[in-house]
Amino acid sequence: MEEEQIPFTKQMRKATREIHDLSDALVNAKLAFALSDFDVWAEGLLIFYEIFRFLEEAMERHKDSALGELMVDGMKRTEAFEKDLSFYLGDDWASSYTPRESVVKYLLYLRELEKKDPDLLMAFVYHLYMGLWSGGQILRKKRMVVRTVFPFVKETLGGNDVTDFGNNSVSKFKRTMSTTMNKIADTLSPEKKAKLIHESKMVFVLNNEIIRTVRGTTQILVKKVLIFSLFIAVLCIIIAYIFK
């Protein structure tokens, strides 16, 4: 099958497979701690908040262009990010918030891309939202399981708005995004498609840079090791007492 006959979204996934796998490994290594630690989850929210906000504002600014066509009712996440961040960091979190260097670098890249060709932002919209509708949903379910299985994990009724789409079907979101992206791609020149493929790779390059800045994972690992060591020590004492 010739490349042109392959749906463009599949071409994007194929071109980014290697760096996407690296990104997945990095997320698993970093954000896996977020399953049981709210501070790490909040860190993850904080680094992506500005990125999603920028993209949603860009889609609104260019609502009459190809970029604007990717906006689907119910997909906006800016308010959900802000609600979750208020839950974890307090209502006044924004008053003392300053984006970290890697996030600023990411935003500068997006702004320059918008100036050069807003349509190239479609690569970022496609991959980031598909990620939220795929891996984001998996993380959400795992966090729910951890709360159920481990009683020492703080119970909460909030802090999950980013991954909660209410009555909207996540599967439908994904189908609509893919269909729209492929429909738009059919109208683009080979040169424009090649640029979108390049930007698809940049999505994961920049994502990886900000994910590496998530703080707190080392401390959590140390804490878990100490708890496990304490458990083993207590178990040994009990066994020694029983069989003395």
Side-chain angles (χ1 to χ4, degrees):
M1 181 181 292
E2 295 182 1
E3 193 76 5
E4 290 76 10
Q5 295 176 306
I6 302 174
F8 187 64
T9 52
K10 288 189 176 181
Q11 294 180 43
M12 294 168 79
R13 291 198 298 272
K14 180 180 178 181
T16 59
R17 185 173 299 154
E18 185 174 339
I19 192 166
H20 194 168
D21 288 344
L22 174 62
S23 185
D24 284 345
L26 189 58
V27 168
N28 288 335
K30 284 279 188 176
L31 298 188
F33 290 102
L35 297 179
S36 60
D37 191 280
F38 288 176
D39 290 338
V40 177
W41 184 257
E43 276 274 301
L45 293 173
L46 205 56
I47 60 174
F48 279 106
Y49 162 64
E50 294 282 1
I51 310 305
F52 276 85
R53 185 174 75 163
F54 177 89
L55 292 174
E56 290 176 0
E57 290 175 351
M59 282 188 279
E60 186 62 32
R61 286 192 292 271
H62 303 280
K63 58 184 177 182
D64 296 324
S65 70
L67 175 62
E69 291 182 41
L70 293 183
M71 178 61 76
V72 180
D73 288 341
M75 70 179 267
K76 285 186 177 181
R77 294 291 91 190
T78 298
E79 289 186 9
F81 267 102
E82 292 171 349
K83 187 173 181 180
D84 283 352
L85 286 168
S86 292
F87 177 85
Y88 292 116
L89 305 178
D91 292 335
D92 62 343
W93 68 272
S95 63
S96 59
Y97 165 66
T98 301
R100 62 196 65 182
E101 184 179 347
S102 59
V103 174
V104 172
K105 178 182 176 182
Y106 201 142
L107 290 171
L108 287 174
Y109 186 89
L110 294 178
R111 290 187 183 113
E112 287 302 313
L113 204 59
E114 183 181 12
K115 290 179 183 178
K116 183 170 60 176
D117 186 351
D119 286 349
L120 296 181
L121 291 174
M122 290 191 293
F124 289 83
V125 171
Y126 176 80
H127 289 292
L128 284 171
Y129 282 89
M130 291 298 275
L132 188 60
W133 295 327
S134 299
Q137 295 303 302
I138 293 173
L139 275 176
R140 172 184 173 83
K141 291 175 182 177
K142 287 182 177 180
R143 292 184 79 229
M144 294 300 184
V145 170
V146 168
R147 292 179 187 180
T148 302
V149 175
F150 298 102
F152 55 80
V153 175
K154 179 183 174 183
E155 289 293 332
T156 176
L157 296 177
N160 290 299
D161 283 63
V162 165
T163 53
D164 184 0
F165 290 87
N167 294 324
N168 292 307
S169 169
V170 171
S171 296
K172 185 176 180 180
F173 275 139
K174 292 165 72 173
R175 288 195 302 270
T176 301
M177 178 67 76
S178 292
T179 299
T180 304
M181 188 71 246
N182 286 325
K183 181 180 178 181
I184 292 171
D186 287 341
T187 69
L188 303 178
S189 67
E191 292 76 19
K192 189 68 158 285
K193 290 180 183 179
K195 289 179 180 179
L196 279 169
I197 293 293
H198 171 74
E199 295 306 331
S200 291
K201 296 175 182 177
M202 286 304 301
V203 173
F204 297 101
V205 169
L206 293 170
N207 282 356
N208 291 349
E209 288 185 8
I210 61 175
I211 291 171
R212 287 190 180 96
T213 69
V214 172
R215 297 183 288 262
T217 53
T218 301
Q219 295 91 322
I220 295 167
L221 180 59
V222 171
K223 182 172 70 175
K224 288 181 182 293
V225 170
L226 289 174
I227 292 174
F228 180 73
S229 299
L230 180 61
F231 171 77
I232 294 298
V234 171
L235 183 61
C236 289
I237 292 172
I238 293 174
I239 292 174
Y241 177 79
I242 293 174
F243 293 100
K244 68 177 181 178

PDB file of all heavy atoms in Angstrom, residues 8 11-12 15 120 123 188-201:
ATOM      1  N   PHE A   8      -3.844   9.341   7.277  1.00  0.00           N
ATOM      2  CA  PHE A   8      -2.779  10.211   7.770  1.00  0.00           C
ATOM      3  C   PHE A   8      -2.512  10.007   9.260  1.00  0.00           C
ATOM      4  O   PHE A   8      -1.365  10.093   9.710  1.00  0.00           O
ATOM      5  CB  PHE A   8      -3.122  11.677   7.495  1.00  0.00           C
ATOM      6  CG  PHE A   8      -2.000  12.615   7.811  1.00  0.00           C
ATOM      7  CD1 PHE A   8      -0.804  12.559   7.108  1.00  0.00           C
ATOM      8  CD2 PHE A   8      -2.130  13.551   8.829  1.00  0.00           C
ATOM      9  CE1 PHE A   8       0.247  13.418   7.407  1.00  0.00           C
ATOM     10  CE2 PHE A   8      -1.090  14.411   9.128  1.00  0.00           C
ATOM     11  CZ  PHE A   8       0.105  14.350   8.417  1.00  0.00           C
ATOM     12  N   GLN A  11      -0.144   7.314   9.602  1.00  0.00           N
ATOM     13  CA  GLN A  11       1.195   7.768   9.216  1.00  0.00           C
ATOM     14  C   GLN A  11       1.850   8.529  10.367  1.00  0.00           C
ATOM     15  O   GLN A  11       3.045   8.369  10.631  1.00  0.00           O
ATOM     16  CB  GLN A  11       1.111   8.669   7.982  1.00  0.00           C
ATOM     17  CG  GLN A  11       0.641   7.976   6.711  1.00  0.00           C
ATOM     18  CD  GLN A  11       0.587   8.927   5.527  1.00  0.00           C
ATOM     19  OE1 GLN A  11       1.494   9.732   5.319  1.00  0.00           O
ATOM     20  NE2 GLN A  11      -0.481   8.852   4.750  1.00  0.00           N
ATOM     21  N   MET A  12       1.061   9.339  11.057  1.00  0.00           N
ATOM     22  CA  MET A  12       1.580  10.096  12.199  1.00  0.00           C
ATOM     23  C   MET A  12       2.030   9.153  13.314  1.00  0.00           C
ATOM     24  O   MET A  12       3.104   9.330  13.899  1.00  0.00           O
ATOM     25  CB  MET A  12       0.503  11.056  12.719  1.00  0.00           C
ATOM     26  CG  MET A  12       0.130  12.163  11.751  1.00  0.00           C
ATOM     27  SD  MET A  12      -1.367  13.051  12.272  1.00  0.00           S
ATOM     28  CE  MET A  12      -0.714  14.132  13.534  1.00  0.00           C
ATOM     29  N   ALA A  15       5.241   7.285  12.287  1.00  0.00           N
ATOM     30  CA  ALA A  15       6.428   8.143  12.299  1.00  0.00           C
ATOM     31  C   ALA A  15       6.903   8.455  13.714  1.00  0.00           C
ATOM     32  O   ALA A  15       8.088   8.720  13.936  1.00  0.00           O
ATOM     33  CB  ALA A  15       6.133   9.443  11.553  1.00  0.00           C
ATOM     34  N   LEU A 120      -0.043  23.920  11.812  1.00  0.00           N
ATOM     35  CA  LEU A 120       0.916  22.935  12.308  1.00  0.00           C
ATOM     36  C   LEU A 120       0.670  22.582  13.775  1.00  0.00           C
ATOM     37  O   LEU A 120       1.154  21.558  14.264  1.00  0.00           O
ATOM     38  CB  LEU A 120       2.347  23.448  12.115  1.00  0.00           C
ATOM     39  CG  LEU A 120       2.781  23.640  10.651  1.00  0.00           C
ATOM     40  CD1 LEU A 120       4.219  24.128  10.578  1.00  0.00           C
ATOM     41  CD2 LEU A 120       2.620  22.339   9.861  1.00  0.00           C
ATOM     42  N   ALA A 123      -0.865  19.005  14.969  1.00  0.00           N
ATOM     43  CA  ALA A 123      -0.115  17.832  15.429  1.00  0.00           C
ATOM     44  C   ALA A 123      -0.144  17.749  16.951  1.00  0.00           C
ATOM     45  O   ALA A 123      -0.312  16.669  17.532  1.00  0.00           O
ATOM     46  CB  ALA A 123       1.330  17.903  14.931  1.00  0.00           C
ATOM     47  N   LEU A 188      -4.500  18.650   2.174  1.00  0.00           N
ATOM     48  CA  LEU A 188      -3.183  19.271   2.341  1.00  0.00           C
ATOM     49  C   LEU A 188      -2.180  18.798   1.299  1.00  0.00           C
ATOM     50  O   LEU A 188      -2.281  17.683   0.776  1.00  0.00           O
ATOM     51  CB  LEU A 188      -2.639  18.972   3.741  1.00  0.00           C
ATOM     52  CG  LEU A 188      -3.506  19.408   4.925  1.00  0.00           C
ATOM     53  CD1 LEU A 188      -2.849  18.997   6.235  1.00  0.00           C
ATOM     54  CD2 LEU A 188      -3.756  20.914   4.900  1.00  0.00           C
ATOM     55  N   SER A 189      -1.197  19.625   1.057  1.00  0.00           N
ATOM     56  CA  SER A 189      -0.123  19.270   0.131  1.00  0.00           C
ATOM     57  C   SER A 189       0.831  18.290   0.801  1.00  0.00           C
ATOM     58  O   SER A 189       0.885  18.213   2.038  1.00  0.00           O
ATOM     59  CB  SER A 189       0.655  20.524  -0.272  1.00  0.00           C
ATOM     60  OG  SER A 189       1.350  21.047   0.851  1.00  0.00           O
ATOM     61  N   PRO A 190       1.606  17.544   0.020  1.00  0.00           N
ATOM     62  CA  PRO A 190       2.597  16.632   0.601  1.00  0.00           C
ATOM     63  C   PRO A 190       3.580  17.367   1.514  1.00  0.00           C
ATOM     64  O   PRO A 190       4.010  16.826   2.538  1.00  0.00           O
ATOM     65  CB  PRO A 190       3.304  16.051  -0.626  1.00  0.00           C
ATOM     66  CG  PRO A 190       2.277  16.130  -1.713  1.00  0.00           C
ATOM     67  CD  PRO A 190       1.539  17.413  -1.447  1.00  0.00           C
ATOM     68  N   GLU A 191       3.919  18.596   1.140  1.00  0.00           N
ATOM     69  CA  GLU A 191       4.854  19.381   1.951  1.00  0.00           C
ATOM     70  C   GLU A 191       4.257  19.698   3.320  1.00  0.00           C
ATOM     71  O   GLU A 191       4.939  19.609   4.346  1.00  0.00           O
ATOM     72  CB  GLU A 191       5.210  20.688   1.226  1.00  0.00           C
ATOM     73  CG  GLU A 191       6.041  20.526  -0.038  1.00  0.00           C
ATOM     74  CD  GLU A 191       5.231  20.026  -1.225  1.00  0.00           C
ATOM     75  OE1 GLU A 191       3.977  20.136  -1.186  1.00  0.00           O
ATOM     76  OE2 GLU A 191       5.843  19.526  -2.193  1.00  0.00           O
ATOM     77  N   LYS A 192       2.985  20.049   3.329  1.00  0.00           N
ATOM     78  CA  LYS A 192       2.317  20.376   4.590  1.00  0.00           C
ATOM     79  C   LYS A 192       2.188  19.133   5.466  1.00  0.00           C
ATOM     80  O   LYS A 192       2.375  19.189   6.685  1.00  0.00           O
ATOM     81  CB  LYS A 192       0.927  20.954   4.291  1.00  0.00           C
ATOM     82  CG  LYS A 192       0.190  21.535   5.495  1.00  0.00           C
ATOM     83  CD  LYS A 192       0.879  22.794   5.988  1.00  0.00           C
ATOM     84  CE  LYS A 192      -0.062  23.668   6.791  1.00  0.00           C
ATOM     85  NZ  LYS A 192      -1.037  24.414   6.003  1.00  0.00           N
ATOM     86  N   LYS A 193       1.900  18.015   4.845  1.00  0.00           N
ATOM     87  CA  LYS A 193       1.808  16.765   5.597  1.00  0.00           C
ATOM     88  C   LYS A 193       3.157  16.402   6.216  1.00  0.00           C
ATOM     89  O   LYS A 193       3.226  15.948   7.364  1.00  0.00           O
ATOM     90  CB  LYS A 193       1.333  15.629   4.686  1.00  0.00           C
ATOM     91  CG  LYS A 193      -0.116  15.735   4.241  1.00  0.00           C
ATOM     92  CD  LYS A 193      -0.476  14.555   3.348  1.00  0.00           C
ATOM     93  CE  LYS A 193      -1.891  14.645   2.828  1.00  0.00           C
ATOM     94  NZ  LYS A 193      -2.230  13.510   1.934  1.00  0.00           N
ATOM     95  N   ALA A 194       4.214  16.618   5.457  1.00  0.00           N
ATOM     96  CA  ALA A 194       5.557  16.313   5.964  1.00  0.00           C
ATOM     97  C   ALA A 194       5.880  17.183   7.177  1.00  0.00           C
ATOM     98  O   ALA A 194       6.497  16.722   8.150  1.00  0.00           O
ATOM     99  CB  ALA A 194       6.591  16.532   4.866  1.00  0.00           C
ATOM    100  N   LYS A 195       5.448  18.433   7.135  1.00  0.00           N
ATOM    101  CA  LYS A 195       5.676  19.332   8.270  1.00  0.00           C
ATOM    102  C   LYS A 195       4.886  18.868   9.492  1.00  0.00           C
ATOM    103  O   LYS A 195       5.375  18.945  10.627  1.00  0.00           O
ATOM    104  CB  LYS A 195       5.282  20.761   7.895  1.00  0.00           C
ATOM    105  CG  LYS A 195       6.231  21.416   6.897  1.00  0.00           C
ATOM    106  CD  LYS A 195       5.775  22.832   6.548  1.00  0.00           C
ATOM    107  CE  LYS A 195       6.730  23.478   5.552  1.00  0.00           C
ATOM    108  NZ  LYS A 195       6.294  24.854   5.174  1.00  0.00           N
ATOM    109  N   LEU A 196       3.677  18.386   9.271  1.00  0.00           N
ATOM    110  CA  LEU A 196       2.867  17.881  10.381  1.00  0.00           C
ATOM    111  C   LEU A 196       3.485  16.623  10.989  1.00  0.00           C
ATOM    112  O   LEU A 196       3.424  16.417  12.205  1.00  0.00           O
ATOM    113  CB  LEU A 196       1.440  17.593   9.907  1.00  0.00           C
ATOM    114  CG  LEU A 196       0.514  18.809   9.809  1.00  0.00           C
ATOM    115  CD1 LEU A 196      -0.773  18.446   9.087  1.00  0.00           C
ATOM    116  CD2 LEU A 196       0.196  19.363  11.199  1.00  0.00           C
ATOM    117  N   ILE A 197       4.080  15.802  10.154  1.00  0.00           N
ATOM    118  CA  ILE A 197       4.780  14.617  10.655  1.00  0.00           C
ATOM    119  C   ILE A 197       5.957  15.042  11.531  1.00  0.00           C
ATOM    120  O   ILE A 197       6.187  14.485  12.616  1.00  0.00           O
ATOM    121  CB  ILE A 197       5.281  13.734   9.488  1.00  0.00           C
ATOM    122  CG1 ILE A 197       4.101  13.111   8.730  1.00  0.00           C
ATOM    123  CG2 ILE A 197       6.227  12.650  10.002  1.00  0.00           C
ATOM    124  CD1 ILE A 197       3.311  12.094   9.521  1.00  0.00           C
ATOM    125  N   HIS A 198       6.689  16.045  11.060  1.00  0.00           N
ATOM    126  CA  HIS A 198       7.825  16.564  11.848  1.00  0.00           C
ATOM    127  C   HIS A 198       7.341  17.103  13.190  1.00  0.00           C
ATOM    128  O   HIS A 198       7.946  16.812  14.238  1.00  0.00           O
ATOM    129  CB  HIS A 198       8.539  17.670  11.074  1.00  0.00           C
ATOM    130  CG  HIS A 198       9.564  18.400  11.892  1.00  0.00           C
ATOM    131  ND1 HIS A 198      10.791  17.852  12.224  1.00  0.00           N
ATOM    132  CD2 HIS A 198       9.530  19.635  12.486  1.00  0.00           C
ATOM    133  CE1 HIS A 198      11.469  18.705  12.969  1.00  0.00           C
ATOM    134  NE2 HIS A 198      10.728  19.790  13.144  1.00  0.00           N
ATOM    135  N   GLU A 199       6.261  17.869  13.170  1.00  0.00           N
ATOM    136  CA  GLU A 199       5.748  18.437  14.417  1.00  0.00           C
ATOM    137  C   GLU A 199       5.185  17.353  15.335  1.00  0.00           C
ATOM    138  O   GLU A 199       5.194  17.504  16.558  1.00  0.00           O
ATOM    139  CB  GLU A 199       4.680  19.495  14.125  1.00  0.00           C
ATOM    140  CG  GLU A 199       5.199  20.726  13.395  1.00  0.00           C
ATOM    141  CD  GLU A 199       6.372  21.390  14.099  1.00  0.00           C
ATOM    142  OE1 GLU A 199       6.467  21.302  15.346  1.00  0.00           O
ATOM    143  OE2 GLU A 199       7.206  21.996  13.396  1.00  0.00           O
ATOM    144  N   SER A 200       4.713  16.270  14.755  1.00  0.00           N
ATOM    145  CA  SER A 200       4.241  15.146  15.570  1.00  0.00           C
ATOM    146  C   SER A 200       5.380  14.597  16.424  1.00  0.00           C
ATOM    147  O   SER A 200       5.191  14.247  17.594  1.00  0.00           O
ATOM    148  CB  SER A 200       3.685  14.034  14.674  1.00  0.00           C
ATOM    149  OG  SER A 200       2.479  14.434  14.058  1.00  0.00           O
ATOM    150  N   LYS A 201       6.558  14.534  15.838  1.00  0.00           N
ATOM    151  CA  LYS A 201       7.725  14.078  16.597  1.00  0.00           C
ATOM    152  C   LYS A 201       8.097  15.093  17.677  1.00  0.00           C
ATOM    153  O   LYS A 201       8.477  14.725  18.789  1.00  0.00           O
ATOM    154  CB  LYS A 201       8.904  13.847  15.654  1.00  0.00           C
ATOM    155  CG  LYS A 201       8.672  12.733  14.638  1.00  0.00           C
ATOM    156  CD  LYS A 201       9.826  12.619  13.653  1.00  0.00           C
ATOM    157  CE  LYS A 201       9.555  11.546  12.613  1.00  0.00           C
ATOM    158  NZ  LYS A 201      10.641  11.453  11.599  1.00  0.00           N
TER     159      LYS A 201
END
